[in-house]
């Protein structure tokens, strides 16, 4: 999905400029027909290629996935793994999954260039399998999630976490018994 209907004129112009630059580079690199001299109009082959390039650029904006690696730490006990971003990738099968702020899967990068989806909980027959686009209900308020998803992905989320306004981790901690919260705080400091 490229959300062309929601692009500003400046965004459309940027995609067009990128396409023209790529076409010129392909011409100079000898990848396109030698019949079309520099400065001439586009050949039928180049028009077709330009359409594909525009489509790919629009799709990449909304469908790139961050590739992360786990960084080893000396932390013991209950802790979140430390992650480091190593790049971005386009995984065609992931394009089929919709976002949920409380997704039923976990996306793992394996072998450097592959992705594996693992169920985080039981998924009922007929239930949609979802992915999280990096905006989770434990980290952001409903308003923050809606704003980030609309700005970054051009849609308004209405998953269960949004419909029921699931609490953030910060507010969940205040509902824990005091000794559990103290232990959690101590482990996070370590």
């Amino acid at each position: 999905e490229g959300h062309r209907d929601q692009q500003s004129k400046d965004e459309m112009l940027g995609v067009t400029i990128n396409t023209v630059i790529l076409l010129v580079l392909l011409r100079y690199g000898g990848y396109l027909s030698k019949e079309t001299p520099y400065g001439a109009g586009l050949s039928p082959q180049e028009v077709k290629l330009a359409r594909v390039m525009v489509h790919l650029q629009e799709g990449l904006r909304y469908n790139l996935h961050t590739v992360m690696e786990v960084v080893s730490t000396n932390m013991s006990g209950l802790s979140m793994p430390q992650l480091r971003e190593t790049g971005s990738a386009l995984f065609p099968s992931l394009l089929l999954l919709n976002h949920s702020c409380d997704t039923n899967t976990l996306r793992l990068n394996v072998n450097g260039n592959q992705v594996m989806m693992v169920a985080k909980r039981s998924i009922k027959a007929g239930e949609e399998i979802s992915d999280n686009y990096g905006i989770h209900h434990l980290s952001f308020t409903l308003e923050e999630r809606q704003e980030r998803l609309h700005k970054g992905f051009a849609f308004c989320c209405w998953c269960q976490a949004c419909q029921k306004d699931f609490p953030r981790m910060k507010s969940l901690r205040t509902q824990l018994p005091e000794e559990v919260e103290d232990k959690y705080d101590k482990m996070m400091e370590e």
Side-chain angles (χ1 to χ4, degrees), residues 68-131:
M68 308 288 275
E69 70 178 350
V70 176
V71 180
S72 61
T73 63
N74 295 331
M75 294 180 79
S76 62
L78 176 66
S79 66
M80 293 295 292
Q82 299 298 307
L83 302 175
R84 177 175 52 213
E85 185 174 333
T86 59
S88 297
L90 181 66
F91 298 105
S93 57
L94 290 184
L95 303 179
L96 303 173
L97 301 178
N98 287 323
H99 167 82
S100 172
C101 296
D102 183 34
T103 185
N104 53 18
T105 63
L106 179 63
R107 182 176 357 117
L108 303 171
N109 298 106
V110 293
N111 300 327
N113 63 355
Q114 297 173 355
V115 69
M116 178 182 357
M117 297 299 287
V118 179
K120 286 178 28 179
R121 59 176 170 77
S122 294
I123 301 173
K124 298 173 187 162
E127 181 183 355
E128 179 178 29
I129 296 173
S130 59
D131 188 15

Side-chain angles (χ1 to χ4, degrees), residues 2-188:
H3 301 289
R4 186 175 289 174
D5 59 329
Q6 296 179 32
Q7 286 183 19
S8 69
K9 289 182 180 181
D10 286 343
E11 289 170 323
M12 287 184 201
L13 179 61
V15 169
T16 303
I17 290 170
N18 288 343
T19 302
V20 169
I21 291 170
L22 289 169
L23 284 172
V24 168
L25 291 172
L26 289 171
R27 267 187 188 176
Y28 274 117
Y31 294 98
L32 298 175
S33 172
K34 299 282 186 194
E35 306 163 7
T36 310
Y38 178 75
L42 298 177
S43 70
Q45 174 194 22
E46 290 171 332
V47 169
K48 192 179 223 178
L49 183 57
R51 286 187 178 127
V52 170
M53 288 175 161
V54 166
H55 183 74
L56 285 172
Q57 288 177 77
E58 290 173 337
L60 284 174
R61 178 175 176 191
Y62 297 103
N63 295 298
L64 277 180
H65 291 85
T66 303
V67 176
M68 308 288 275
E69 70 178 350
V70 176
V71 180
S72 61
T73 63
N74 295 331
M75 294 180 79
S76 62
L78 176 66
S79 66
M80 293 295 292
Q82 299 298 307
L83 302 175
R84 177 175 52 213
E85 185 174 333
T86 59
S88 297
L90 181 66
F91 298 105
S93 57
L94 290 184
L95 303 179
L96 303 173
L97 301 178
N98 287 323
H99 167 82
S100 172
C101 296
D102 183 34
T103 185
N104 53 18
T105 63
L106 179 63
R107 182 176 357 117
L108 303 171
N109 298 106
V110 293
N111 300 327
N113 63 355
Q114 297 173 355
V115 69
M116 178 182 357
M117 297 299 287
V118 179
K120 286 178 28 179
R121 59 176 170 77
S122 294
I123 301 173
K124 298 173 187 162
E127 181 183 355
E128 179 178 29
I129 296 173
S130 59
D131 188 15
N132 183 278
Y133 296 177
I135 300 164
H136 197 278
H137 77 87
L138 289 173
S139 303
F140 301 100
T141 65
L142 175 61
E143 294 77 23
E144 290 171 320
R145 292 193 314 270
Q146 293 296 322
E147 182 181 329
R148 287 171 181 254
L149 288 167
H150 191 268
K151 183 178 180 182
F153 301 98
F155 75 91
C156 181
C157 185
W158 204 236
C159 67
Q160 283 288 91
C162 290
Q163 288 179 39
K164 295 181 179 178
D165 196 7
F166 285 7
R168 290 180 12 198
M169 178 63 81
K170 192 177 195 177
S171 63
L172 286 174
R173 286 184 50 220
T174 61
Q175 299 172 22
L176 295 172
E178 191 173 331
E179 65 273 2
V180 173
E181 189 172 341
D182 290 344
K183 188 175 181 180
Y184 176 82
D185 287 340
K186 184 179 178 198
M187 291 172 87
M188 289 305 288

